[in-house]
Amino acid sequence: MRHQTSLDAEYFEQMFRETPDPWGFETRAYEQAKYARTLAALGDRRFDRALEVGCANGVLTAQLAPYCERLLAIDVSQTALDTARARCSSLPQVTFERIEFPRQAPADKAFDLLLLSEVAYYWDDGDLQRAADWIAGAVVAGGELLLVHWTGDTDYPQSGDGAVQKLQAMLAERIMLLHADRQPEYRLDLWRMGA
């Protein structure tokens, strides 16, 4: 049965207290292949100010950092952030904050890359709208939004397809589709923010 409301911070904190890598980000071939396609979608572009929502234990953060002059990685779990911070300690361009996005948001704006990897389906419709409203004012014209989401069955408030489709509809007047890649277990969507 699908959750009706956004999953709260304690859900994720408990996951990371029980094991430092609850989804196998470090070890699963699925995750490694997905990360490779995620980074390939960015091409050779470098970003001045990037935001990764839901950085978890920092496995993807460490791989994303070389594409960024500055990278803010946020998560709701302090335990996950502690692991991510240690993993990325040699990457001075990366900073971490505990933020319960989208109910809370970074004070900084003017991001030219926003990464939502495996997070939007945890949000109910109200939080999806909060995210869309914030994104519309926080990602610069010409900036990119990269979304990667599992498309299998879950009990989360949204399916992967549903979350992406709803965000796309909420931002429809502001974004242009650059790339869509559907794999057997996930979808990858790259959008550009318009003026």
Side-chain angles (χ1 to χ4, degrees), residues 166-186:
K166 287 177 182 180
L167 270 177
Q168 189 170 19
M170 292 169 182
L171 291 166
E173 301 300 316
R174 302 293 308 274
I175 57 170
M176 174 178 62
L177 176 66
L178 296 181
H179 179 71
D181 181 5
R182 189 168 192 93
Q183 296 296 312
E185 297 178 299
Y186 68 92

Side-chain angles (χ1 to χ4, degrees), residues 82-165:
D82 291 344
T83 302
R85 190 174 283 112
R87 183 185 310 280
C88 298
S89 61
S90 65
L91 300 168
Q93 73 270 44
V94 183
T95 57
F96 295 92
E97 288 185 39
R98 185 185 173 282
I99 295 177
E100 294 183 38
F101 189 86
R103 295 190 176 217
Q104 301 170 329
D108 294 343
K109 293 191 177 179
F111 294 101
D112 60 347
L113 175 65
L114 172 62
L115 176 61
L116 299 176
S117 181
E118 310 278 8
V119 295
Y121 45 43
Y122 295 127
W123 305 330
D124 60 27
D125 287 352
D127 279 342
L128 280 173
Q129 187 64 60
R130 283 182 193 87
D133 293 344
W134 185 84
I135 289 166
V139 178
V140 299
E144 296 183 1
L145 290 82
L146 181 55
L147 298 88
V148 186
H149 288 88
W150 165 259
T151 53
D153 292 334
T154 71
D155 63 352
Y156 306 147
Q158 315 285 340
S159 66
D161 286 326
V164 173
Q165 289 163 3

Side-chain angles (χ1 to χ4, degrees), residues 45-94:
R45 184 166 176 194
R46 282 193 58 83
F47 299 91
D48 179 58
R49 182 122 181 91
L51 172 64
E52 179 188 10
V53 175
C55 68
N57 57 12
V59 175
L60 180 56
T61 312
Q63 296 176 48
L64 180 63
Y67 292 79
C68 308
E69 295 298 323
R70 294 172 291 170
L71 171 58
L72 174 60
I74 66 173
D75 203 275
V76 300
S77 166
Q78 188 61 53
T79 299
L81 284 171
D82 291 344
T83 302
R85 190 174 283 112
R87 183 185 310 280
C88 298
S89 61
S90 65
L91 300 168
Q93 73 270 44
V94 183

